[in-house]
């Protein structure tokens, strides 16, 4: 049961605001800044089981009859290969590993998300977002087209070949293919016939020692070949990072520059996880004004394959436990509550299996503590505890279904402090307290039968304006009675920052399941708090109104588990360091599977590595 005490837990505060506290005593010039802007991601502590029955909350229930036949088979680690003695052998090894990875992932259909910000130069703040775009879909890693057909002139074919085919989108029309091209260097022709590999040096990426190679396409090896640099870990010789572009570009096409990172999420394989793209030159006199930066994230590798056979997903009818000891029929009110819970469970399970919700985990403990603080200080006693879950996507949104509050990863990322988190959660808690439950139609299980990619067409939790107004009013009452009452200035600042950027960030503010925080460039959530607090001053270094994306929550791309990022604070030295709501490059701290276990001091590759630089084929 709930603890009837509110608390700012030390751990919670540290976790939620390590990146950008605004210490009361901040006379100091530089506050602690949004730390590493890139999500520091590493292999999880616990072993993500390659064979687990997906990531649904129901996975634990072994009575779930419908073991999905389309669940990808567990992945066995690759055979151990003899240690190389020459750099030439290292090249052979990583080519072989790359082909092995392509094969092993060929039956996977992970979720892929790209969030892009177009940039314009601001004389004071440098390049800042001028507009944005958002893409979400499933990536079919199993493209099996005959490569020869596509090596000719056909540009569309080449895209397919490079990408592995970009499948259906979650109701968002765009061609985001380009941003995920670098999941592999070259899907079909990564070999010595098409490329020259030159060893450059050794380098650590995080905890992982790597051999660095430059990769150049051989003359006349075809268009759209990888050109750049790769980092190969020196234990199993998997590629862990790719950085570069593709060349030569086909007519009327354009290849982005990309920096692609992989994580060691399953034994023996490094799985494509993050891709950062950036274009633009803001130096004086440059004519080409094309400028953007984009983050592509891939997750949900362990989701069951969302293929055609699977369009009618079997959803378990949740067996709600009858908690009354006496065998009685439910009263009308009890029946209503059980019904709502069934709907809630259905929705949570369905969103999880679609790769949109993280399984319950660490982040929820923090969210629940904040909700608990609001409840306890307002004497709210609900028949069922309020639960929370993390929506895995970037757009800033919250919604609730039954007694579950859902908040997006992107929104948690940009909130500057715990009070702001409490504010956005309080709006949903208010809906629950006021009985604004929208989800009950989902207690009918036929409503769960749709394909993953049509989730947004089949689910929605948007309230009517009257309920929104009522929830905001109630939320402010809740906040004023809560431990956050003295910190609402920070909430006001956040809302001001959001208002300043809202016209340029319409994609980030376009919600897909819940009500929008802003519409038509105007913030409409908790507006009564928006005038609270000091004036927004971007040049004031100790005023952190909102954070960049990616600094708080990290997602395990294999099992979708969410956890808080642990980063050391980094001092802000100029207004350009603040980057509110912005995307930044990725720089995950790489670690081997089974994290925390340091790599063996003496890798079996010393001989190879010492062979020194030099072109190896
Ligand atoms: Zn609402």
């Amino acid at each position: 049961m709930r603890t009837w005490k509110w608390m700012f837990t030390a751990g919670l505060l540290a976790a939620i605001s390590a990146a950008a506290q605004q210490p009361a005593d901040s006379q100091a010039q530089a506050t602690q800044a949004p730390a590493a802007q890139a999500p520091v991601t590493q292999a999880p502590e616990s072993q993500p089981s390659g064979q687990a029955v997906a990531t649904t909350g129901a996975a634990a229930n072994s009575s779930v009859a419908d073991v999905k036949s389309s669940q990808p088979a567990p992945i066995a680690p690759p055979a151990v290969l003899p240690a190389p003695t020459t750099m030439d052998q290292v090249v052979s090894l990583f080519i072989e590993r790359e082909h092995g990875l392509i094969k092993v992932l060929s039956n996977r259909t992970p979720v892929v998300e790209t969030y892009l910000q177009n940039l314009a130069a601001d004389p004071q703040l440098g390049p800042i977002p001028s507009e944005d775009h958002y893409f979400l879909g499933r990536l079919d890693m199993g493209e099996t087209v005959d490569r020869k057909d596509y090596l000719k002139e056909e540009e569309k074919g080449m895209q397919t070949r490079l990408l592995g085919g970009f499948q259906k989108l979650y109701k968002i029309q765009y061609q985001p293919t380009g941003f995920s091209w670098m999941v592999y260097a070259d899907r079909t022709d990564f070999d010595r016939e098409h490329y020259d590999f030159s060893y450059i040096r050794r380098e650590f990426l995080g905890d992982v020692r790597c051999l660095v190679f430059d990769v150049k396409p051989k003359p006349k090896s075809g268009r759209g070949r990888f050109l750049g640099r790769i980092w190969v870990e020196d234990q199993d010789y998997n590629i862990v990072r790719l950085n570069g572009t593709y060349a030569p570009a086909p007519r009327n096409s354009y290849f982005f520059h990309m920096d692609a990172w992989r994580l060691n999420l399953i034994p023996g394989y490094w799985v494509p996880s993050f891709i950062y793209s950036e274009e633009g030159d803001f130096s004086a006199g440059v004519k080409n004004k094309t400028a953007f930066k984009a983050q592509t994230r891939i997750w949900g590798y362990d989701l069951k394959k969302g293929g055609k056979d699977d369009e009618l997903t079997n959803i378990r009818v949740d067996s709600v436990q009858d908690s009354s000891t006496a065998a009685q029929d439910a009263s009308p009110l009890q029946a209503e509550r059980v019904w709502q819970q069934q709907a809630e469970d259905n929705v949570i399970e369905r969103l999880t299996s679609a790769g949109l919700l993280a399984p319950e985990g660490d982040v929820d403990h923090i969210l629940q503590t904040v909700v608990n603080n609001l409840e306890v200080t307002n004497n709210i006693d609900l028949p069922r505890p309020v639960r929370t879950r993390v929506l895995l996507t970037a757009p800033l949104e919250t919604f609730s279904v039954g007694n579950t509050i859902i908040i997006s990863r992107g929104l948690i990322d940009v909130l500057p402090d715990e009070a702001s988190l409490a504010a956005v959660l309080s709006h949903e808690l208010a809906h629950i307290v006021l009985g604004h439950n929208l989800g009950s139609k989902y207690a009918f299980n036929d409503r769960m039968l749709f394909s993953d990619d049509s989730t947004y067409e089949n689910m929605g939790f948007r309230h009517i304006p009257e309920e929104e107004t009522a929830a905001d009013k109630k939320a402010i009452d809740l906040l004023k009675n809560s431990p956050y009452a003295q910190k609402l200035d920070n909430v006001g600042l956040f809302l001001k920052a959001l208002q300043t950027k809202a016209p340029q960030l319409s994609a980030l503010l376009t919600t897909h399941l819940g009500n929008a925080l802003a519409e038509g460039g105007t913030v409409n959530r908790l507006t009564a708090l928006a005038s609270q607090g000091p004036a927004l001053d971007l040049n004031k270094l100790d005023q952190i109104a909102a954070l960049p994306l990616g600094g708080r929550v990290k997602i395990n791309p294999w099992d979708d588990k969410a956890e808080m990022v642990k980063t050391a604070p980094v001092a802000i030295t100029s207004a350009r360091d603040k980057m509110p709501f912005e995307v930044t490059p990725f720089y995950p701290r790489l670690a081997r599977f089974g994290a925390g276990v340091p790599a063996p001091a003496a890798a079996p590759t010393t001989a190879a590595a010492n062979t020194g630089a030099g072109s190896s084929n």
Side-chain angles (χ1 to χ4, degrees):
M1 280 313 285
R2 245 177 14 226
T3 345
W4 283 99
K5 272 194 242 162
W6 65 264
M7 51 187 182
F8 286 121
T9 66
L12 170 61
L13 270 179
I16 196 66
S17 52
Q21 305 119 332
Q22 304 173 56
D25 59 343
S26 61
Q27 306 101 317
Q29 265 280 11
T31 32
Q32 292 157 354
Q37 321 302 10
V40 176
T41 309
Q42 54 196 17
E45 305 284 331
S46 60
Q47 309 219 333
S49 60
Q51 61 275 45
V53 182
T55 51
T56 69
N61 187 339
S62 56
S63 72
V64 179
D66 53 322
V67 174
K68 312 294 194 299
S69 54
S70 51
Q71 178 70 26
I75 292 178
V80 178
L81 301 166
T85 52
T86 66
M87 209 42 82
D88 201 53
Q89 288 171 3
V90 170
V91 171
S92 303
L93 279 174
F94 69 67
I95 288 176
E96 188 175 337
R97 291 296 192 202
E98 186 72 357
H99 292 161
L101 179 74
I102 290 170
K103 187 151 178 269
V104 130
L105 294 181
S106 65
N107 63 345
R108 304 279 155 171
T109 54
V111 178
V112 59
E113 174 193 70
T114 296
Y115 177 56
L116 176 152
Q117 294 179 329
N118 290 107
L119 303 172
D122 177 278
Q124 274 210 305
L125 296 170
I128 55 167
S130 54
E131 61 171 339
D132 64 348
H133 299 278
Y134 181 72
F135 324 113
L136 183 70
R138 291 293 276 270
L139 191 62
D140 186 349
M141 312 284 281
E143 177 60 39
T144 51
V145 281
D146 182 347
R147 73 177 81 161
K148 304 236 163 38
D149 295 291
Y150 293 132
L151 275 179
K152 309 276 161 33
E153 319 312 289
E154 203 184 332
E155 288 172 14
K156 205 170 149 208
M158 187 189 60
Q159 285 179 10
T160 315
R161 179 177 62 80
L162 280 171
L163 175 69
F166 198 92
Q167 276 204 329
K168 304 167 189 171
L169 306 176
Y170 285 113
K171 184 101 172 68
I172 293 162
Q173 299 87 23
Y174 212 93
Q175 273 305 319
T177 43
F179 299 102
S180 15
W181 272 351
M182 213 173 273
V183 290
Y184 303 121
D186 186 326
R187 207 178 181 290
T188 53
D189 298 309
F190 191 66
D191 53 35
R192 293 171 192 273
E193 285 71 58
H194 295 84
Y195 290 96
D196 287 322
F197 301 94
S198 316
Y199 172 72
I200 302 301
R201 62 166 181 267
R202 284 197 289 186
E203 185 180 324
F204 273 95
L205 292 181
D207 300 335
V208 178
R209 191 169 59 182
C210 298
L211 305 169
V212 185
F213 290 84
D214 276 346
V215 182
K216 281 189 210 135
K218 283 190 187 292
K220 299 192 180 146
S221 59
R223 286 195 297 214
R225 295 294 180 197
F226 178 74
L227 173 65
R229 181 164 285 194
I230 58 172
W231 284 254
V232 177
E233 47 90 15
D234 71 355
Q235 210 166 298
D236 298 318
Y237 305 98
N238 292 291
I239 297 175
V240 302
R241 181 185 181 191
L242 306 106
N243 175 295
T245 187
Y246 292 89
R251 211 157 48 89
N252 301 327
S253 289
Y254 186 64
F255 286 109
F256 307 133
H257 287 84
M258 281 175 259
D259 188 27
W261 293 79
R262 298 176 176 179
L263 302 178
N264 193 190
L265 302 174
I266 48 172
Y269 294 99
W270 289 71
V271 181
S273 303
F274 305 115
I275 303 172
Y276 177 71
S277 325
E278 184 184 294
E279 296 296 334
D281 183 347
F282 289 94
S283 47
V286 170
K287 294 227 167 56
N288 183 355
K289 298 290 181 204
T290 309
F292 70 82
K293 50 185 181 177
Q295 285 185 341
T296 297
R297 293 158 193 267
I298 305 169
W299 69 80
Y301 278 99
D302 206 26
L303 292 173
K304 74 189 173 51
K305 201 173 164 84
K308 278 265 189 304
D309 309 339
D310 222 60
E311 297 226 329
L312 293 183
T313 304
N314 258 323
I315 282 291
R316 177 175 63 109
V317 181
D318 216 329
S319 48
V320 178
Q321 208 75 38
D322 188 351
S323 51
S324 59
T325 42
Q328 288 172 335
D329 288 333
S331 72
L333 180 57
Q334 283 168 334
E336 175 68 19
R337 284 182 180 157
V338 172
W339 183 252
Q340 286 176 357
Q341 179 163 8
Q342 183 173 308
E344 177 182 337
D345 291 345
N346 277 354
V347 168
I348 299 306
E349 188 174 321
R350 190 67 192 85
L351 288 175
T352 308
S353 69
L356 292 173
L357 274 194
E360 196 168 359
D362 285 0
V363 180
D364 295 312
H365 299 151
I366 289 170
L367 301 177
Q368 270 154 13
T369 304
V370 174
V371 170
N372 191 60
N373 287 343
L374 291 165
E375 288 183 280
V376 167
T377 46
N378 283 281
N379 295 315
I380 295 169
D381 194 7
L382 296 164
R384 287 192 292 124
V386 173
R387 303 185 291 183
T388 59
R389 293 292 282 273
V390 178
L391 191 69
L392 293 164
T393 49
L396 313 185
E397 73 177 299
T398 61
F399 61 93
S400 49
V401 51
N403 273 28
T404 300
I405 296 175
I406 291 160
I407 177 169
S408 66
R409 164 181 57 82
L411 183 53
I412 301 173
D413 275 347
V414 300
L415 292 169
D417 63 356
E418 190 177 329
S420 309
L421 177 61
V424 295
L425 294 174
S426 70
H427 174 91
E428 298 304 334
L429 180 61
H431 278 309
I432 292 171
V433 169
L434 295 171
H436 298 167
N437 187 357
L438 289 179
S440 61
K441 69 175 185 178
Y442 300 109
F444 288 108
N445 287 275
D446 59 291
R447 293 205 165 103
M448 299 294 108
L449 303 182
F450 52 81
S451 59
D452 290 350
D453 49 274
S454 61
T455 301
Y456 290 158
E457 291 159 59
N458 286 277
M459 281 194 179
F461 306 93
R462 290 187 183 87
H463 292 276
I464 55 172
E466 290 81 359
E467 288 184 350
E468 283 299 283
T469 308
D472 266 354
K473 189 164 173 291
K474 180 74 181 170
I476 287 164
D477 291 345
L478 298 179
L479 288 167
K480 290 196 165 153
N481 283 328
S482 80
Y484 307 104
Q486 305 310 313
K487 304 191 171 174
L488 298 182
D489 281 3
N490 294 358
V491 183
L493 260 181
F494 172 74
L495 293 169
K496 284 172 204 168
L498 188 63
Q499 180 55 64
T500 312
K501 298 287 180 181
Q504 288 82 43
L505 300 179
S506 58
L508 190 64
L509 288 164
T510 299
T511 54
H512 300 283
L513 294 164
N515 289 88
L517 297 181
E519 256 164 331
T522 306
V523 174
N524 56 20
R525 181 70 51 92
L526 296 169
T527 46
L529 292 178
S531 53
Q532 187 126 0
L536 185 70
D537 182 354
L538 289 171
N539 289 310
K540 210 164 165 241
L541 295 188
D542 62 353
Q543 188 188 79
I544 307 296
L547 304 186
L549 288 162
R552 289 221 191 273
V553 180
K554 65 175 174 182
I555 306 296
N556 179 315
W558 194 263
D559 60 17
D560 295 354
K561 284 188 182 143
E563 60 178 302
M564 300 306 288
V565 172
K566 296 172 191 76
T567 52
V570 177
I572 281 186
T573 56
S574 81
R576 295 187 183 195
D577 284 348
K578 291 191 189 177
M579 300 185 287
F581 307 106
E582 292 184 33
V583 300
T584 63
F586 292 111
Y587 221 92
R589 182 171 181 86
L590 299 188
R592 295 192 182 278
F593 180 77
V597 184
T605 60
T606 327
N610 287 342
T611 323
S615 184
S616 163
N617 194 22

